[in-house]
Amino acid sequence: MSKEFKGRPVVAGKIDKCEAVVSHNGVNTLATFQKTALLHDIPLIGKDYVIGSDQNNPDVYGKNLTGKVLCLPQTIGSTTGGMVIYTVAALKLAPAAMLFSQPIDSLAAAGVILADVWTDNSIVAVDSLGEDFLNAVKDGDKITVKEDGTVIVD
């Protein structure tokens, strides 16, 4: 049975039945994306996707994040967070969407907005979806996002 949630579109866009990766903890963008994306391991290991590398977040560690819908409360970590999000978008390694149960933090907002303005690889971002959203969505669920911020979990 589908569940529907309404949030605020930060970077509006449409996603159709894309796979969810869920973190119940804040996602440290630098620690999560640095190993395969920012340290340029991709050409060395022949991967064109990002594997979550933050050992302190078992919800994303070791999981493919590229092209997925990353469902999270917020991002955490250093002030590099926005540039990390922009960089993975510029490298075409970003999640397809970032869906926040809480209001988006300023660093994540900067990253998704920079990606939208400066790259051709926007990251759909919706915030304020609520704790019920984060409790309802599970890894592997199919997520549909509408431009008005409606999120449907199948």
Side-chain angles (χ1 to χ4, degrees):
M1 176 175 279
S2 296
K3 294 181 183 175
E4 189 170 304
F5 301 88
K6 181 72 165 124
R8 176 182 65 160
V10 177
V11 174
K14 294 179 186 177
I15 302 288
D16 189 34
K17 297 192 184 288
C18 192
E19 185 178 335
V21 174
V22 181
S23 178
H24 294 279
N25 300 302
V27 172
N28 183 319
T29 53
L30 181 60
T32 297
F33 292 103
Q34 72 176 343
K35 189 170 184 183
T36 52
L38 302 182
L39 295 181
H40 305 290
D41 282 352
I42 295 152
L44 300 175
I45 58 179
K47 292 184 179 174
D48 57 356
Y49 53 90
V50 168
I51 299 297
S53 56
D54 183 1
Q55 295 178 350
N56 294 317
N57 187 337
D59 292 339
V60 297
Y61 182 72
K63 295 179 182 172
N64 178 5
L65 302 175
T66 301
K68 308 294 183 187
V69 174
L70 182 56
C71 305
L72 66 161
Q74 63 183 4
T75 65
I76 59 172
S78 71
T79 56
T80 61
M83 284 309 293
V84 170
I85 293 168
Y86 158 75
T87 300
V88 295
L91 293 171
K92 299 189 184 309
L93 299 171
M98 295 177 76
L99 304 180
F100 297 84
S101 62
Q102 300 176 9
I104 193 170
D105 55 281
S106 60
L107 299 175
V112 297
I113 292 167
L114 287 172
D116 187 47
V117 172
W118 288 353
T119 76
D120 60 355
N121 194 33
S122 293
I123 302 167
V124 172
V126 177
D127 77 344
S128 300
L129 287 161
E131 288 306 309
D132 288 343
F133 163 72
L134 206 55
N135 291 328
V137 67
K138 307 289 182 240
D139 277 353
D141 283 352
K142 298 300 181 195
I143 306 292
T144 298
V145 181
K146 298 181 180 179
E147 287 197 30
D148 69 354
T150 301
V151 174
I152 302 165
V153 179
D154 287 320

